[in-house]
C-alpha cells in the first residue's frame, strides 16, 4: 500500500509561502492542510488556511478555504458550495499550532 505523509514549504511570488501538511494517499482517508503565510508589517502572519479531506470508499470530499485577512470562507462538501464569513483572523506565525482549525471549518 502506498502511504505518503508529507510536510512541505513552497514560496510564492509575493514574499510569503505556503506550508503543506497531510497524508494524501494514506488508506481510505486523505487529508491535506495548507497554511498560507504572508509578510505584513515586518512579521509573518498565517493569512490563509485550506483543509481538503476525502473519503475514498464513500467517494466524498470536503474543502474549507479561509482567507484569514478578510474572514471570507468557501466551503465545499461534495458538489455543494457555499460562502461564509468566519470570525478567525490572521495571526503571527509563531502562534501557529498543529491543531489549529478555523471555527468556520468545524463541523463541515
Amino acid at each position: 500500500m502506498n502511504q505518503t505523509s508529507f510536510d512541505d514549504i513552497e514560496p510564492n511570488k509575493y514574499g510569503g509561502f505556503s506550508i503543506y501538511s497531510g497524508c494524501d494517499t494514506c488508506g481510505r482517508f486523505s487529508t491535506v492542510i495548507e497554511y498560507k503565510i504572508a509578510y505584513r508589517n515586518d512579521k509573518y502572519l498565517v493569512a490563509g488556511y485550506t483543509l481538503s479531506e476525502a473519503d475514498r470508499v464513500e467517494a466524498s470530499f470536503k474543502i474549507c478555504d479561509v482567507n484569514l485577512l478578510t474572514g471570507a470562507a468557501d466551503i465545499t462538501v461534495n458538489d455543494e458550495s457555499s460562502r461564509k464569513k468566519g470570525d478567525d483572523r490572521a495571526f503571527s506565525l509563531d502562534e501557529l499550532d498543529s491543531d489549529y482549525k478555523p471555527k468556520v471549518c468545524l463541523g463541515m
Side-chain angles (χ1 to χ4, degrees):
M1 181 181 287
N2 181 14
Q3 293 193 351
T4 305
S5 181
F6 62 88
D7 292 309
D8 196 11
I9 296 176
E10 180 179 290
N12 69 35
K13 63 183 177 180
Y14 303 107
F17 55 94
S18 289
I19 300 171
Y20 296 91
S21 180
C23 191
D24 195 26
T25 57
C26 293
R28 177 179 175 172
F29 299 101
S30 167
T31 301
V32 176
I33 299 171
E34 177 186 7
Y35 303 97
K36 295 168 191 87
I37 311 303
Y39 191 71
R40 299 280 194 284
N41 300 321
D42 296 324
K43 63 182 176 180
Y44 286 100
L45 300 175
V46 179
Y49 174 94
T50 303
L51 170 65
S52 303
E53 297 178 319
D55 180 333
R56 289 179 176 78
V57 172
E58 297 293 326
S60 63
F61 66 93
K62 301 173 187 175
I63 300 170
C64 183
D65 184 33
V66 183
N67 179 331
L68 295 170
L69 297 173
T70 66
D74 293 312
I75 310 287
T76 303
V77 178
N78 299 320
D79 294 327
E80 304 271 331
S81 294
S82 63
R83 177 153 257 200
K84 297 184 177 187
K85 188 76 165 174
D87 295 329
D88 292 89
R89 290 295 186 265
F91 57 92
S92 179
L93 178 58
D94 60 359
E95 297 173 27
L96 180 60
D97 180 295
S98 63
D99 294 328
Y100 173 74
K101 190 177 201 179
K103 292 175 191 136
V104 71
C105 297
L106 298 175
M108 64 173 203

XYZ file of all heavy atoms in Angstrom:
842
model
N 0.845 -1.170 0.000
C 0.000 0.000 0.000
C 0.894 1.239 0.000
O 1.834 1.342 0.769
C -0.890 -0.010 1.243
C -1.818 1.166 1.296
S -2.862 1.181 2.764
C -3.974 -0.134 2.359
N 0.583 2.164 -0.866
C 1.350 3.406 -0.952
C 0.828 4.389 0.085
O -0.303 4.831 0.023
C 1.217 3.995 -2.359
C 2.001 5.273 -2.508
O 2.831 5.610 -1.685
N 1.734 5.991 -3.575
N 1.676 4.750 1.053
C 1.289 5.725 2.049
C 2.274 6.877 2.010
O 3.463 6.680 2.200
C 1.259 5.112 3.438
C 0.155 4.081 3.583
C -0.067 3.711 5.033
O 0.692 4.077 5.907
N -1.135 2.983 5.274
N 1.777 8.053 1.740
C 2.630 9.225 1.632
C 2.165 10.278 2.624
O 1.143 10.913 2.433
C 2.575 9.802 0.200
O 2.908 8.782 -0.710
C 3.542 10.954 0.049
N 2.920 10.451 3.676
C 2.677 11.515 4.623
C 3.723 12.570 4.331
O 4.867 12.247 4.033
C 2.820 10.996 6.051
O 2.558 12.021 6.966
N 3.357 13.840 4.390
C 4.316 14.853 3.968
C 4.160 16.151 4.732
O 3.127 16.446 5.298
C 4.161 15.141 2.474
C 2.806 15.697 2.130
C 2.568 17.054 2.170
C 1.772 14.855 1.782
C 1.324 17.570 1.871
C 0.519 15.361 1.487
C 0.300 16.715 1.528
N 5.228 16.902 4.732
C 5.267 18.294 5.164
C 6.132 18.981 4.128
O 7.189 18.483 3.763
C 5.899 18.441 6.554
C 5.033 17.831 7.639
O 3.841 18.160 7.690
O 5.558 17.028 8.427
N 5.690 20.129 3.634
C 6.417 20.797 2.563
C 6.227 22.306 2.701
O 5.240 22.769 3.267
C 5.877 20.323 1.206
C 6.796 20.647 0.051
O 7.950 21.046 0.288
O 6.365 20.495 -1.104
N 7.181 23.049 2.182
C 7.098 24.511 2.148
C 7.317 24.953 0.717
O 8.209 24.448 0.034
C 8.161 25.157 3.063
C 7.890 24.790 4.510
C 8.169 26.668 2.893
C 8.928 25.296 5.478
N 6.474 25.883 0.250
C 6.569 26.375 -1.123
C 6.486 27.898 -1.119
O 5.515 28.469 -0.614
C 5.416 25.784 -1.929
C 5.377 26.192 -3.369
C 4.210 25.518 -4.065
O 4.252 24.298 -4.263
O 3.241 26.238 -4.397
N 7.493 28.594 -1.654
C 7.444 30.063 -1.688
C 6.425 30.559 -2.709
O 6.072 29.849 -3.644
C 8.859 30.461 -2.098
C 9.370 29.291 -2.858
C 8.714 28.072 -2.262
N 5.935 31.785 -2.496
C 5.110 32.410 -3.522
C 5.793 33.689 -3.993
O 6.774 34.130 -3.412
C 3.672 32.656 -3.036
C 3.573 33.728 -1.971
O 4.298 34.723 -1.972
N 2.665 33.538 -1.030
N 5.265 34.302 -5.021
C 5.923 35.457 -5.637
C 5.746 36.751 -4.851
O 6.315 37.766 -5.198
C 5.455 35.633 -7.070
C 3.985 35.930 -7.215
C 3.598 36.016 -8.679
C 2.115 36.237 -8.835
N 1.740 36.314 -10.226
N 4.966 36.739 -3.767
C 4.701 37.954 -3.007
C 5.524 38.047 -1.718
O 5.246 38.884 -0.872
C 3.215 38.059 -2.675
C 2.359 38.027 -3.908
C 1.596 36.911 -4.218
C 2.343 39.107 -4.793
C 0.818 36.877 -5.367
C 1.565 39.073 -5.941
C 0.808 37.956 -6.222
O 0.050 37.916 -7.357
N 6.514 37.190 -1.563
C 7.366 37.233 -0.384
C 6.893 36.344 0.747
O 7.522 36.270 1.783
N 5.798 35.679 0.559
C 5.286 34.747 1.551
C 5.525 33.321 1.099
O 6.312 33.062 0.181
N 4.837 32.392 1.723
C 4.991 30.985 1.372
C 3.798 30.197 1.891
O 2.988 30.709 2.668
C 6.307 30.429 1.914
C 6.502 30.608 3.392
C 6.154 29.609 4.283
C 7.038 31.790 3.900
C 6.334 29.775 5.651
C 7.224 31.960 5.263
C 6.878 30.957 6.143
N 3.702 28.949 1.466
C 2.675 28.034 1.957
C 3.356 26.869 2.651
O 4.410 26.400 2.215
C 1.820 27.495 0.807
O 0.990 28.503 0.281
N 2.753 26.439 3.729
C 3.196 25.247 4.447
C 2.125 24.194 4.221
O 0.937 24.449 4.468
C 3.349 25.519 5.954
C 4.367 26.624 6.213
C 3.728 24.236 6.692
C 4.412 27.098 7.649
N 2.538 23.021 3.752
C 1.611 21.927 3.498
C 1.864 20.808 4.489
O 3.005 20.518 4.829
C 1.794 21.374 2.081
C 1.465 22.356 1.004
C 2.442 23.185 0.473
C 0.174 22.448 0.510
C 2.144 24.092 -0.525
C -0.132 23.355 -0.494
C 0.857 24.171 -1.007
O 0.548 25.067 -1.981
N 0.792 20.181 4.914
C 0.899 19.062 5.824
C -0.238 18.099 5.502
O -1.317 18.525 5.104
C 0.787 19.548 7.265
O 0.895 18.470 8.158
N 0.007 16.822 5.687
C -1.081 15.884 5.484
C -0.627 14.529 5.043
O 0.553 14.186 5.072
N -1.608 13.768 4.640
C -1.385 12.423 4.141
C -2.323 12.248 2.951
O -3.525 12.032 3.120
C -1.662 11.400 5.234
S -1.098 9.762 4.791
N -1.782 12.391 1.767
C -2.582 12.405 0.552
C -3.043 11.017 0.104
O -4.098 10.881 -0.484
C -1.781 13.085 -0.560
C -2.643 13.476 -1.732
O -3.849 13.695 -1.536
O -2.113 13.559 -2.844
N -2.255 9.998 0.367
C -2.602 8.650 -0.111
C -2.480 7.620 1.001
O -1.912 6.558 0.818
C -1.700 8.238 -1.292
O -0.334 8.322 -0.868
C -1.935 9.116 -2.495
N -3.018 7.945 2.157
C -2.932 7.050 3.321
C -4.245 6.311 3.526
O -5.093 6.728 4.311
C -2.562 7.837 4.576
S -0.912 8.521 4.519
N -4.426 5.234 2.811
C -5.610 4.408 3.014
C -6.900 5.063 2.555
O -6.942 5.788 1.569
N -7.952 4.833 3.318
C -9.288 5.291 2.956
C -9.411 6.806 2.951
O -10.068 7.380 2.093
C -10.296 4.694 3.938
C -11.693 5.169 3.699
C -12.679 4.555 4.673
N -14.008 5.131 4.468
C -15.100 4.688 5.050
N -15.034 3.673 5.880
N -16.253 5.257 4.812
N -8.807 7.469 3.923
C -8.975 8.914 4.081
C -7.742 9.683 3.640
O -6.620 9.259 3.866
C -9.290 9.257 5.538
C -10.553 8.626 6.027
C -10.507 7.491 6.813
C -11.793 9.143 5.683
C -11.671 6.892 7.263
C -12.958 8.558 6.129
C -12.901 7.414 6.921
N -7.969 10.829 3.033
C -6.910 11.734 2.606
C -7.166 13.086 3.251
O -8.288 13.582 3.237
C -6.944 11.870 1.086
O -6.146 12.944 0.667
N -6.118 13.673 3.832
C -6.234 14.993 4.429
C -5.019 15.819 4.037
O -3.884 15.373 4.212
C -6.296 14.914 5.969
O -7.425 14.127 6.342
C -6.420 16.294 6.583
N -5.250 17.002 3.497
C -4.176 17.934 3.153
C -4.541 19.295 3.737
O -5.649 19.782 3.546
C -3.976 18.048 1.627
C -2.913 19.089 1.308
C -3.616 16.699 1.025
N -3.602 19.897 4.464
C -3.792 21.222 5.038
C -2.745 22.154 4.445
O -1.566 21.798 4.362
C -3.655 21.205 6.575
C -4.714 20.306 7.184
C -3.767 22.627 7.131
C -4.522 20.051 8.667
N -3.193 23.329 4.017
C -2.278 24.367 3.531
C -2.454 25.596 4.404
O -3.563 26.097 4.576
C -2.574 24.735 2.082
C -1.693 25.867 1.577
C -2.060 26.348 0.181
O -3.079 25.902 -0.373
O -1.318 27.189 -0.342
N -1.352 26.076 4.959
C -1.331 27.337 5.692
C -0.657 28.355 4.778
O 0.479 28.156 4.361
C -0.514 27.223 6.985
C -0.989 26.137 7.920
C -0.375 24.895 7.930
C -2.048 26.364 8.796
C -0.788 23.901 8.798
C -2.475 25.380 9.663
C -1.836 24.144 9.654
O -2.264 23.163 10.516
N -1.356 29.434 4.456
C -0.784 30.476 3.604
C -0.170 31.546 4.505
O -0.865 32.120 5.344
C -1.855 31.062 2.703
C -2.406 30.032 1.714
C -3.651 30.555 1.035
C -4.332 29.471 0.265
N -5.281 28.691 1.077
N 1.108 31.796 4.323
C 1.850 32.711 5.175
C 2.169 33.977 4.380
O 2.705 33.898 3.273
C 3.157 32.071 5.687
C 2.893 30.662 6.259
C 3.841 32.977 6.696
C 1.887 30.585 7.375
N 1.840 35.131 4.950
C 2.081 36.434 4.307
C 3.010 37.256 5.192
O 2.999 37.124 6.416
C 0.767 37.178 4.100
N 3.800 38.102 4.539
C 4.691 39.004 5.269
C 4.033 40.378 5.303
O 3.846 41.021 4.280
C 6.052 39.062 4.572
C 7.108 39.759 5.386
C 7.635 39.168 6.520
C 7.572 41.009 5.017
C 8.607 39.805 7.275
C 8.546 41.664 5.759
C 9.052 41.045 6.894
O 10.008 41.681 7.626
N 3.643 40.827 6.506
C 2.965 42.113 6.678
C 3.546 42.820 7.905
O 3.723 42.195 8.954
C 1.468 41.942 6.924
C 0.698 41.248 5.801
C 0.379 42.207 4.678
N -0.595 41.722 3.747
C -0.384 40.830 2.805
N 0.786 40.276 2.675
N -1.340 40.473 1.974
N 3.832 44.103 7.773
C 4.303 44.910 8.908
C 5.475 44.255 9.644
O 5.463 44.129 10.868
C 3.158 45.205 9.877
C 2.041 45.964 9.215
O 2.278 46.850 8.397
N 0.811 45.617 9.535
N 6.454 43.804 8.876
C 7.688 43.224 9.410
C 7.506 41.926 10.189
O 8.318 41.598 11.051
C 8.436 44.245 10.286
C 8.902 45.443 9.491
O 9.283 45.258 8.312
O 8.883 46.562 10.030
N 6.424 41.193 9.906
C 6.288 39.877 10.529
C 5.493 38.944 9.626
O 4.739 39.381 8.756
C 5.656 39.968 11.915
C 4.249 40.498 11.959
C 3.780 40.571 13.410
C 2.412 41.192 13.484
N 1.922 41.282 14.842
N 5.697 37.649 9.845
C 4.975 36.638 9.087
C 3.665 36.305 9.788
O 3.632 36.059 10.992
C 5.828 35.373 8.930
C 6.943 35.558 7.934
C 8.244 35.827 8.364
C 6.692 35.483 6.573
C 9.260 36.009 7.438
C 7.698 35.660 5.649
C 8.982 35.931 6.086
O 9.977 36.103 5.169
N 2.580 36.321 9.004
C 1.246 36.034 9.520
C 0.659 34.811 8.835
O 0.884 34.600 7.633
C 0.297 37.204 9.249
C 0.639 38.554 9.840
C -0.366 39.594 9.347
C 0.645 38.484 11.358
N -0.110 34.035 9.563
C -0.915 32.976 8.959
C -2.120 33.704 8.383
O -2.986 34.181 9.105
C -1.332 31.915 9.991
C -2.184 30.841 9.336
C -0.104 31.298 10.655
N -2.135 33.840 7.049
C -3.128 34.662 6.365
C -4.207 33.842 5.662
O -5.216 34.379 5.217
C -2.439 35.568 5.351
N -4.001 32.537 5.558
C -4.975 31.686 4.894
C -4.852 30.252 5.359
O -3.803 29.832 5.865
N -5.936 29.529 5.193
C -5.996 28.135 5.643
C -6.883 27.382 4.664
O -7.993 27.833 4.356
C -6.603 28.085 7.047
C -6.865 26.696 7.581
C -5.923 26.051 8.369
C -8.065 26.043 7.338
C -6.162 24.793 8.887
C -8.321 24.776 7.848
C -7.368 24.154 8.625
O -7.612 22.897 9.133
N -6.392 26.247 4.181
C -7.210 25.384 3.324
C -7.115 23.957 3.834
O -6.018 23.415 3.983
C -6.750 25.436 1.857
O -6.797 26.788 1.400
C -7.645 24.580 0.970
N -8.262 23.361 4.093
C -8.350 21.970 4.513
C -9.077 21.200 3.421
O -10.182 21.574 3.024
C -9.129 21.859 5.833
C -9.521 20.449 6.277
C -8.279 19.616 6.596
C -10.454 20.515 7.476
N -8.449 20.145 2.932
C -9.072 19.260 1.939
C -9.119 17.859 2.520
O -8.083 17.324 2.926
C -8.267 19.231 0.638
O -8.132 20.519 0.107
N -10.310 17.283 2.580
C -10.489 15.932 3.103
C -11.265 15.101 2.086
O -12.187 15.603 1.449
C -11.276 15.947 4.414
C -10.589 16.675 5.539
C -11.427 16.712 6.804
O -12.659 16.928 6.720
O -10.840 16.544 7.870
N -10.891 13.829 1.954
C -11.598 12.939 1.039
C -11.749 11.566 1.680
O -10.883 11.121 2.426
C -10.842 12.819 -0.278
N -12.848 10.930 1.370
C -13.119 9.553 1.783
C -13.203 8.746 0.495
O -14.135 8.912 -0.296
C -14.430 9.491 2.565
C -14.791 8.085 3.031
O -14.369 7.095 2.373
O -15.494 7.967 4.043
N -12.231 7.898 0.270
C -12.159 7.146 -0.983
C -13.246 6.079 -1.108
O -13.677 5.767 -2.204
C -10.774 6.522 -1.124
C -9.705 7.528 -1.398
C -8.334 6.843 -1.498
N -7.309 7.796 -1.861
C -6.756 8.662 -1.027
N -7.134 8.697 0.226
N -5.835 9.502 -1.433
N -13.704 5.510 0.000
C -14.740 4.482 -0.047
C -16.096 5.107 -0.361
O -16.842 4.622 -1.207
C -14.792 3.685 1.283
C -15.983 2.753 1.306
C -13.494 2.911 1.474
N -16.415 6.206 0.314
C -17.696 6.884 0.103
C -17.668 7.819 -1.105
O -18.693 8.394 -1.460
C -18.077 7.684 1.348
C -18.287 6.847 2.581
C -19.500 5.940 2.469
O -20.494 6.340 1.829
O -19.436 4.828 3.019
N -16.499 8.006 -1.700
C -16.318 8.926 -2.839
C -16.854 10.315 -2.500
O -17.623 10.912 -3.248
C -16.967 8.373 -4.106
N -16.444 10.815 -1.334
C -16.889 12.129 -0.907
C -15.680 13.001 -0.579
O -14.591 12.495 -0.314
C -17.800 12.015 0.319
O -17.085 11.461 1.407
N -15.891 14.315 -0.617
C -14.807 15.231 -0.289
C -15.359 16.490 0.351
O -16.525 16.843 0.185
C -13.969 15.582 -1.521
C -14.704 16.367 -2.559
C -14.664 17.751 -2.562
C -15.454 15.727 -3.538
C -15.352 18.489 -3.520
C -16.140 16.442 -4.497
C -16.091 17.828 -4.489
N -14.468 17.167 1.116
C -14.800 18.422 1.780
C -13.609 19.354 1.625
O -12.463 18.928 1.771
C -15.053 18.209 3.270
C -16.169 17.259 3.598
C -16.213 17.005 5.083
C -17.210 15.923 5.418
N -17.176 15.586 6.842
N -13.894 20.618 1.352
C -12.843 21.627 1.262
C -13.311 22.861 2.030
O -14.436 23.323 1.843
C -12.545 22.016 -0.200
C -12.082 20.791 -0.995
C -11.483 23.125 -0.249
C -11.999 21.013 -2.494
N -12.434 23.356 2.881
C -12.700 24.598 3.607
C -11.526 25.522 3.335
O -10.403 25.240 3.741
C -12.841 24.325 5.104
S -13.265 25.811 6.045
N -11.769 26.594 2.616
C -10.725 27.544 2.213
C -11.046 28.894 2.849
O -12.076 29.495 2.535
C -10.681 27.645 0.692
C -9.558 28.529 0.201
O -8.494 28.560 0.847
O -9.742 29.186 -0.829
N -10.180 29.352 3.771
C -10.457 30.562 4.542
C -9.373 31.606 4.303
O -8.183 31.318 4.429
C -10.532 30.255 6.058
C -10.895 31.498 6.842
C -11.506 29.124 6.342
N -9.797 32.809 3.955
C -8.899 33.950 3.872
C -8.931 34.608 5.253
O -9.927 35.231 5.621
C -9.371 34.927 2.787
C -8.495 36.145 2.677
O -7.877 36.584 3.639
N -8.450 36.718 1.483
N -7.860 34.437 6.017
C -7.838 34.961 7.379
C -7.622 36.463 7.435
O -7.784 37.073 8.491
C -6.776 34.227 8.196
C -7.062 32.738 8.419
C -5.852 32.040 9.011
C -8.282 32.543 9.285
N -7.281 37.088 6.321
C -7.174 38.544 6.283
C -8.560 39.184 6.245
O -8.776 40.250 6.822
C -6.336 38.995 5.090
C -4.876 38.534 5.090
C -4.203 38.905 3.778
C -4.117 39.112 6.267
N -9.510 38.526 5.571
C -10.862 39.073 5.424
C -11.931 38.294 6.185
O -13.023 38.814 6.408
C -11.271 39.086 3.940
O -11.383 37.728 3.479
C -10.280 39.854 3.102
N -11.657 37.041 6.510
C -12.649 36.188 7.153
C -13.520 35.434 6.173
O -14.326 34.590 6.569
N -13.387 35.703 4.877
C -14.200 35.020 3.865
C -13.802 33.547 3.785
O -12.624 33.213 3.782
C -14.017 35.675 2.509
N -14.811 32.686 3.733
C -14.564 31.245 3.665
C -15.411 30.616 2.569
O -16.606 30.908 2.460
C -14.881 30.590 5.002
N -14.792 29.771 1.762
C -15.500 28.981 0.763
C -15.523 27.544 1.261
O -14.468 26.953 1.496
C -14.810 29.058 -0.599
C -14.900 30.449 -1.204
O -16.010 31.007 -1.212
O -13.867 30.966 -1.653
N -16.729 26.999 1.422
C -16.920 25.649 1.929
C -17.521 24.810 0.803
O -18.528 25.196 0.212
C -17.888 25.612 3.134
C -17.501 26.644 4.183
C -18.007 24.206 3.694
C -16.286 26.350 4.980
N -16.906 23.666 0.531
C -17.442 22.747 -0.468
C -17.558 21.363 0.169
O -16.593 20.851 0.736
C -16.523 22.657 -1.704
O -16.355 23.962 -2.254
C -17.099 21.730 -2.756
N -18.748 20.787 0.092
C -18.981 19.425 0.545
C -19.593 18.692 -0.637
O -20.704 19.008 -1.053
C -19.913 19.372 1.776
C -20.173 17.926 2.187
C -19.313 20.162 2.937
N -18.799 17.779 -1.193
C -19.160 17.088 -2.422
C -19.426 18.128 -3.512
O -18.543 18.874 -3.847
C -20.296 16.103 -2.195
C -19.886 15.028 -1.196
O -18.759 14.549 -1.216
N -20.783 14.675 -0.310
N -20.628 18.231 -4.022
C -20.899 19.185 -5.101
C -21.618 20.441 -4.631
O -22.042 21.256 -5.446
C -21.724 18.501 -6.201
C -20.937 17.396 -6.884
O -19.710 17.536 -7.007
O -21.544 16.380 -7.270
N -21.770 20.624 -3.327
C -22.451 21.789 -2.761
C -21.415 22.793 -2.257
O -20.583 22.460 -1.420
C -23.347 21.370 -1.599
C -24.374 20.313 -1.959
C -25.655 20.913 -2.467
O -25.979 22.034 -2.065
O -26.321 20.245 -3.274
N -21.482 24.021 -2.758
C -20.549 25.066 -2.330
C -21.308 26.208 -1.675
O -22.440 26.511 -2.048
C -19.777 25.613 -3.531
O -18.948 24.625 -4.073
N -20.655 26.825 -0.697
C -21.246 27.994 -0.052
C -20.134 28.937 0.377
O -18.991 28.540 0.558
C -22.099 27.587 1.159
O -21.297 26.976 2.142
N -20.486 30.190 0.533
C -19.549 31.208 1.006
C -20.044 31.646 2.378
O -21.216 31.921 2.563
C -19.499 32.384 0.061
C -18.578 33.489 0.595
C -18.043 34.276 -0.505
N -16.666 33.804 -0.654
C -15.731 34.478 -1.262
N -15.998 35.597 -1.843
N -14.514 34.027 -1.331
N -19.114 31.684 3.337
C -19.459 32.080 4.697
C -18.475 33.128 5.183
O -17.425 33.333 4.581
C -19.423 30.875 5.637
C -20.439 29.811 5.281
C -20.447 28.699 6.276
C -21.542 27.702 5.887
N -21.724 26.684 6.866
N -18.808 33.757 6.266
C -17.924 34.724 6.906
C -17.505 34.130 8.248
O -18.353 33.776 9.062
C -18.666 36.047 7.111
C -17.802 37.166 7.580
C -16.961 37.717 6.460
C -16.379 39.054 6.863
N -15.464 39.583 5.903
N -16.202 34.002 8.451
C -15.693 33.445 9.695
C -15.206 34.523 10.636
O -14.974 35.667 10.240
N -15.042 34.159 11.885
C -14.555 35.074 12.910
C -13.034 35.056 13.045
O -12.451 35.991 13.566
C -15.165 34.732 14.272
C -16.670 34.954 14.293
O -17.149 35.850 13.572
O -17.358 34.220 15.023
N -12.402 33.974 12.629
C -10.954 33.861 12.764
C -10.251 34.868 11.864
O -10.693 35.130 10.748
C -10.490 32.447 12.398
C -10.943 31.409 13.397
O -12.044 30.870 13.230
O -10.180 31.151 14.337
N -9.159 35.420 12.350
C -8.371 36.383 11.586
C -6.899 35.997 11.613
O -6.472 35.168 12.401
C -8.535 37.799 12.164
C -9.911 38.393 11.936
C -10.181 38.607 10.440
N -11.411 39.301 10.193
C -12.562 38.700 9.923
N -12.638 37.409 9.890
N -13.644 39.408 9.669
N -6.135 36.648 10.747
C -4.698 36.379 10.628
C -4.018 36.541 11.984
O -4.420 37.355 12.806
C -4.079 37.333 9.606
N -2.992 35.726 12.196
C -2.242 35.763 13.447
C -0.783 35.453 13.159
O -0.438 34.933 12.097
C -2.843 34.809 14.482
C -2.932 33.378 14.024
C -1.906 32.477 14.292
C -4.039 32.928 13.326
C -1.997 31.156 13.876
C -4.139 31.607 12.902
C -3.108 30.725 13.187
N 0.068 35.756 14.108
C 1.508 35.582 13.951
C 1.869 34.115 13.728
O 1.312 33.219 14.384
C 2.223 36.110 15.195
O 3.603 35.924 15.081
N 2.801 33.870 12.815
C 3.219 32.515 12.502
C 3.727 31.776 13.740
O 3.486 30.577 13.885
C 4.309 32.532 11.416
C 4.898 31.186 11.014
C 3.826 30.235 10.515
C 5.966 31.383 9.946
N 4.383 32.473 14.657
C 4.912 31.786 15.838
C 3.806 31.314 16.793
O 4.064 30.551 17.723
C 5.943 32.635 16.583
C 5.418 33.960 17.097
O 4.235 34.275 16.873
O 6.207 34.683 17.718
N 2.554 31.695 16.537
C 1.422 31.224 17.335
C 0.721 30.019 16.697
O -0.233 29.484 17.286
C 0.407 32.346 17.514
C 0.935 33.537 18.280
C -0.050 34.700 18.291
O -1.274 34.457 18.180
O 0.403 35.841 18.399
N 1.166 29.609 15.516
C 0.512 28.502 14.811
C 0.710 27.197 15.573
O 1.822 26.837 15.930
C 1.063 28.361 13.393
C 0.467 27.232 12.552
C -1.038 27.406 12.365
C 1.173 27.159 11.203
N -0.376 26.508 15.795
C -0.397 25.218 16.476
C -0.850 24.170 15.458
O -1.734 24.444 14.645
C -1.382 25.318 17.651
C -1.487 24.045 18.441
O -1.945 23.033 17.887
O -1.125 24.078 19.627
N -0.309 22.979 15.515
C -0.667 21.947 14.537
C -2.134 21.532 14.630
O -2.668 20.940 13.697
C 0.236 20.728 14.691
O 0.049 20.153 15.972
N -2.800 21.844 15.704
C -4.220 21.523 15.859
C -5.137 22.659 15.413
O -6.355 22.550 15.526
C -4.534 21.185 17.318
C -3.858 19.904 17.777
O -3.690 19.006 16.945
O -3.484 19.829 18.959
N -4.577 23.747 14.910
C -5.381 24.906 14.531
C -6.366 24.552 13.415
O -6.011 23.901 12.430
C -4.489 26.067 14.059
C -5.313 27.210 13.501
C -6.030 28.046 14.354
C -5.407 27.410 12.137
C -6.808 29.075 13.851
C -6.179 28.437 11.626
C -6.877 29.263 12.493
O -7.661 30.262 11.989
N -7.594 25.004 13.589
C -8.636 24.869 12.569
C -9.603 26.026 12.763
O -10.141 26.190 13.864
C -9.362 23.535 12.731
C -10.289 23.179 11.613
C -10.878 21.796 11.872
C -11.380 21.159 10.630
N -11.924 19.808 10.874
N -9.822 26.855 11.744
C -10.774 27.963 11.889
C -12.163 27.453 12.292
O -12.595 26.391 11.852
C -10.809 28.597 10.503
C -9.535 28.184 9.862
C -9.225 26.825 10.417
N -12.854 28.217 13.093
C -14.186 27.824 13.578
C -15.156 27.561 12.437
O -15.991 26.672 12.519
C -14.741 28.902 14.518
C -13.987 29.001 15.811
C -14.498 30.151 16.662
C -13.539 30.369 17.806
N -13.231 31.749 18.042
N -15.043 28.323 11.362
C -15.948 28.167 10.231
C -15.795 26.789 9.563
O -16.718 26.307 8.906
C -15.777 29.320 9.205
C -14.483 29.198 8.465
C -16.955 29.426 8.273
N -14.667 26.119 9.780
C -14.423 24.795 9.191
C -14.883 23.649 10.102
O -14.952 22.502 9.658
C -12.932 24.601 8.900
S -12.257 25.740 7.690
N -15.171 23.951 11.357
C -15.599 22.907 12.284
C -16.979 22.404 11.897
O -17.856 23.169 11.535
C -15.621 23.450 13.717
C -14.287 23.915 14.278
C -14.492 24.544 15.647
C -13.300 22.771 14.359
N -17.174 21.114 11.953
C -18.477 20.535 11.690
C -18.910 20.512 10.246
O -20.075 20.276 9.960
N -18.007 20.756 9.334
C -18.428 20.729 7.922
C -18.580 19.315 7.435
O -18.144 18.388 7.930
C -17.457 21.495 7.026
C -16.080 20.948 6.946
S -15.143 21.838 5.693
C -13.925 20.595 5.347
